[in-house]
Amino acid sequence: MRNLNLTSKEDSLEITEPSMLIRINELFRDDMSAEELYNATRSSWRVSLNRANNVEYALSVYKGIVREVYLITAWQEADPTAHEKNNGRFEFIGNIAEDTVRNKYKLKSVKHYFKKGNMAPFMYINS
């Protein structure tokens, strides 16, 4: 058997837009509806609004793979009455990104952006 020395495509994927990688490992299910995936991704995060307002896209990530890409239109305070952990947290309002951006990232690996041991639930890219 030949030993092929292939370069991993996941190492070459570069996110070029101001984005936020949001890990939803604990909430993701294969049978989630589009609305359930959106709600799991958008809320509720302890972000710096100054920094979050510079982000254009939210990439929903499960086990290092982008499951969906959203164009962020605004940030708002998460409803603290919905759950006590929401106090001081924010959520974005958005829509599924335009096809050119969505197709660039959806179902692609972003594992290389997360250093070993990094357990942060989200990460800013280019913001």
Side-chain angles (χ1 to χ4, degrees), residues 5 11 22 30 34 42 44 48 57 66 71 90 94 99 101 122:
N5 186 10
D11 292 334
I22 300 176
D30 284 326
R42 75 185 202 96
S44 69
S48 158
Y57 297 95
V66 176
L71 174 65
F90 297 88
D99 286 344
V101 174
F122 64 86

Side-chain angles (χ1 to χ4, degrees), residues 47-70:
V47 298
S48 158
L49 276 184
N50 287 338
R51 192 150 185 207
N53 282 326
N54 291 320
V55 172
E56 292 179 37
Y57 297 95
L59 283 68
S60 182
V61 178
Y62 172 67
K63 292 190 176 179
I65 305 297
V66 176
R67 300 303 170 153
E68 191 56 86
V69 182
Y70 302 99

Side-chain angles (χ1 to χ4, degrees), residues 4-120:
L4 298 176
N5 186 10
L6 299 174
T7 303
S8 172
K9 288 184 179 181
E10 70 186 37
D11 292 334
S12 63
L13 175 68
E14 180 183 353
I15 297 171
T16 55
E17 296 80 9
S19 301
M20 190 173 183
L21 302 177
I22 300 176
R23 292 197 258 200
I24 59 163
N25 292 339
E26 294 180 21
L27 299 173
F28 184 81
R29 296 183 336 270
D30 284 326
D31 65 344
M32 290 179 94
S33 69
E35 183 178 2
E36 288 172 320
L37 182 58
Y38 171 68
N39 286 326
T41 305
R42 75 185 202 96
S43 186
S44 69
W45 307 107
R46 195 174 301 278
V47 298
S48 158
L49 276 184
N50 287 338
R51 192 150 185 207
N53 282 326
N54 291 320
V55 172
E56 292 179 37
Y57 297 95
L59 283 68
S60 182
V61 178
Y62 172 67
K63 292 190 176 179
I65 305 297
V66 176
R67 300 303 170 153
E68 191 56 86
V69 182
Y70 302 99
L71 174 65
I72 298 171
T73 57
W75 284 89
Q76 66 183 16
E77 284 188 60
D79 182 1
T81 60
H83 194 285
E84 65 183 44
K85 79 170 189 144
N86 289 354
N87 199 11
R89 293 174 182 251
F90 297 88
E91 61 190 15
F92 69 83
I93 299 169
N95 302 298
I96 291 178
E98 62 274 19
D99 286 344
T100 54
V101 174
R102 186 176 187 228
N103 294 338
K104 188 175 171 182
Y105 302 120
K106 187 171 180 187
L107 300 179
K108 305 280 185 354
S109 175
V110 291
K111 291 177 185 176
H112 59 287
Y113 278 96
F114 296 98
K115 302 227 184 292
K116 187 174 180 166
N118 178 343
M119 299 302 291

